[in-house]
Amino acid sequence: MVSQQQLKILISRDEIAKAVSRLAREIERDYRDKQPLLIGVLKGSFMFMADLIRELDLPLDLDFIRLSSYDTARESSGEVEVIHETKTPVKDRDVLVVEDIVDTGITISFLLDYLESKQPASLKVCTLTDKPSRRRVPVPIDYRGFTLPNKFIVGYGLDCGQRFRNLPDIYTLED
Ligand code: IMP
Ligand code: MG
């Protein structure tokens, strides 16, 4: 059982809120006169998505996709599958993928190939956090909230073995 002592605050809810509104301004500027389809990657992105769309002064559509990556362990298996499809057609839409974290890049790289095959008008990535030192596959990131050191983080939607998603701030989980 992981105890609370191992959690150290890394990004406060205020810092998150500031980053979310900065990202929203960047997205509004780029999607003016468009109606993007935001696709959140479950489960980690749900809280970020909820805050981001409330900051966005744009007409938009929303959907979620669920991929198998590492739900219980900390390491990516390298194999990704779609577990729960998006129902909104992607063809000819301006698609913006909303992620909680880009780590090795394996998940988002798979997702971008998958969505690209459905012929969107455009395809971009918005991630709240990025751990570039862990990258194994190069991925284009269009909107980035925070660049992080190589530490495992939880809170604000992010979990460790399904725990800690409900925390309103982001913490490092120390072993
Ligand atoms: P990637 O395929 O290695 O880029 O991993 C992406 C997924 O792994 C994310 O969407 C998260 O669900 C999970 N993940 C990676 N790093 C962390 C972390 O530090 N905390 C919690 N989940 C993580
Ligand atoms: Mg995720």
Side-chain angles (χ1 to χ4, degrees), residues 7-50:
L7 297 176
K8 287 203 187 126
I9 190 137
L10 182 68
I11 311 171
S12 72
R13 63 197 79 183
D14 289 352
E15 292 171 297
I16 295 171
K18 280 192 194 116
V20 170
S21 54
R22 169 177 59 80
L23 292 171
R25 298 298 85 76
E26 292 176 22
I27 293 165
E28 281 166 358
R29 183 196 61 209
D30 295 349
Y31 289 86
R32 205 173 337 161
D33 306 322
K34 291 190 172 147
Q35 184 171 328
L37 167 60
L38 273 63
I39 299 182
V41 185
L42 289 173
K43 302 175 191 174
S45 73
F46 79 98
M47 207 177 281
F48 175 41
M49 179 68 100

Side-chain angles (χ1 to χ4, degrees), residues 96-108:
L96 179 60
V97 173
V98 176
E99 254 291 26
D100 50 356
I101 188 162
V102 179
D103 186 39
T104 63
I106 291 169
T107 307
I108 200 85

